[in-house]
Amino acid sequence: MIYIADNISNYLIYLFIIYFGFRLSPRRNKLFLSASALIMLSAGAFNAYFDTNSPIIYMFWSVLAISLFFEERLWHLLVLSAALMYFTGIVDTFSVMLIQVVLIGGGIDGTDIAWWMESAYLISFLVYLVVYLRLLKKNDVYLCDIKIKYKLALLIQGSIFQMFYNFVFIFFDENHEMYGWDAYAVFFISITGAIYSIFLTLSLAIKNILSNRQNNELQAFMHMQKQQYDYQLQQSVAVRRFKHDLLNHIGVLRELMSQKKTEEAKEYIDTIWNIQDEFDLKIHTGDSFLDVIINYYLYLAEKENIEFTVSGRLGEEMNLEMFDITTLMGNILQNAIEATIKAAVPRIRVELIDHAKEFFIVVINSVAEKTDTKKDFFMTTKADKTNHGFGLKNVVETVEKYHGEYYIESVEENGEAMFTISMALPKVRD
């Protein structure tokens, strides 16, 4: 029975680490999931029947059970399962030593510690749970985001500690009678320190990720601002050119009128009017900063043959900083353009509603297919998942900064998949 319990404990730990740490999804086919659990239980029954705990059987069922349970490339699952077996084995060793030192004074001869392995697994799981809650979830970072050099550092660091403690523990086990509890206390503290060092390495890796993420977000914002600046610069140049030629245009009109060529003069005026209309802002929202952003993305949409419409108008300027307006609408419209290009009929619709106490902004765009907004809202389809996928998270943070609310949904309109994000922003900041 101990072998089956041992396999179940390892199995649940693997599933926890892979699902919450590496964001891999379980297979949808229940047959594969059942086969995964059955293989694990069969391996435990085999070990129980032959009273053995063969490493080959352990590696076989672990790799096969993980490969059957999760949807991912096989080679990735093979590498991942091998690394997990090695690393969890190190942490389990520390946990067993902690139990032996604290409860039986360094492994007294003749003491059966087989059932205590389950307590060791519990300690190990608590370590993984604390790592997840205090480091990964808190900072919105996952193990798959950590660079390979930090992962190797964890394995090498753990290996060194394990070899050292194995040697020291054997010495303690053979000479425990000549040492007092102060020695066991030192041993206990040193193992705790080894586990803490793993936390420090992970913390350093996460700080590196957060720093890179912040830099990438700043670069993305600066790039967005530069694009908008270049657009405004083009408009400014067009205005200056028009003003430069305005005297010539007036001269031509004067000559046409002096020759009483009224129809030609009207056509020339229409031509001048159309030229002026090209560099004038086509959309006026009621907020000057928002005008710049929406007109810029209208310009991009027209270049990509995307239908872009804006309805409604704000009665006053929004009480948002320029940086936040760019973060909010820039990210939403940029994502909308990238998504709608893949749709059969690319279109974007922006709705502005001025309420007594709130501004409502709704952006609707067509998409290639419906998405699960509860699961995939923050997921990116770009290859570089480490440095992308934060645009909508920044949108949410900006909305929450102004104590607003947001709502997202993916629906079908007349058989067409549409993605909608709605925001309500108070007019007065708290």
Side-chain angles (χ1 to χ4, degrees), residues 202-236:
L202 277 172
S203 298
L204 181 62
I206 290 172
K207 285 183 179 179
N208 179 265
I209 292 174
L210 295 178
S211 177
N212 290 337
R213 183 183 297 176
Q214 187 177 26
N215 291 336
N216 291 330
E217 290 176 359
L218 182 59
Q219 290 177 5
F221 176 80
M222 292 178 65
H223 178 68
M224 193 182 301
Q225 288 283 66
K226 183 180 182 303
Q227 288 179 316
Q228 295 173 13
Y229 171 77
D230 290 341
Y231 170 70
Q232 288 297 307
L233 186 61
Q234 292 176 10
Q235 301 298 89
S236 177

Side-chain angles (χ1 to χ4, degrees), residues 65 103 107 118 199 251 286 312 314 345 374 411 420 427:
L103 299 181
E118 309 315 313
F199 277 80
L314 304 180
V345 182
K374 293 182 179 179
V411 298
T420 302
K427 289 187 175 181

Side-chain angles (χ1 to χ4, degrees), residues 43-55:
F46 177 88
N47 289 338
Y49 182 79
F50 290 99
D51 193 20
T52 181
N53 193 16
S54 171

Side-chain angles (χ1 to χ4, degrees), residues 114-145:
W115 282 100
W116 293 10
M117 278 299 298
E118 309 315 313
S119 301
Y121 288 136
L122 178 59
I123 294 175
S124 298
F125 175 74
L126 291 176
V127 171
Y128 307 136
L129 183 62
V130 172
V131 167
Y132 171 70
L133 295 176
R134 297 295 300 170
L135 296 179
L136 302 181
K137 184 177 180 181
K138 180 180 179 181
N139 295 291
D140 195 22
V141 173
Y142 296 86
L143 293 174
C144 51
D145 300 330

Side-chain angles (χ1 to χ4, degrees), residues 9-23:
S9 299
N10 277 292
Y11 185 67
L12 294 177
I13 286 176
Y14 289 156
L15 298 186
F16 175 84
I17 295 176
I18 295 176
Y19 181 77
F20 289 102
F22 290 90
R23 295 188 293 183

Side-chain angles (χ1 to χ4, degrees), residues 14 17 22 78-94 128 143 146-166 194-195 197-202 205:
Y14 289 156
I17 295 176
F22 290 90
L78 292 175
V79 173
L80 185 58
S81 58
L84 279 179
M85 281 188 288
Y86 187 74
F87 181 76
T88 55
I90 292 173
V91 177
D92 289 343
T93 298
F94 292 163
Y128 307 136
L143 293 174
I146 295 176
K147 293 182 179 179
I148 188 66
K149 64 179 182 180
Y150 290 106
K151 295 176 182 176
L152 290 175
L154 286 171
L155 294 178
I156 295 172
Q157 183 184 47
S159 300
I160 294 173
F161 283 134
Q162 186 179 35
M163 288 187 293
F164 171 74
Y165 286 119
N166 282 341
I195 296 176
S197 68
I198 294 176
F199 277 80
L200 290 180
T201 303
L202 277 172

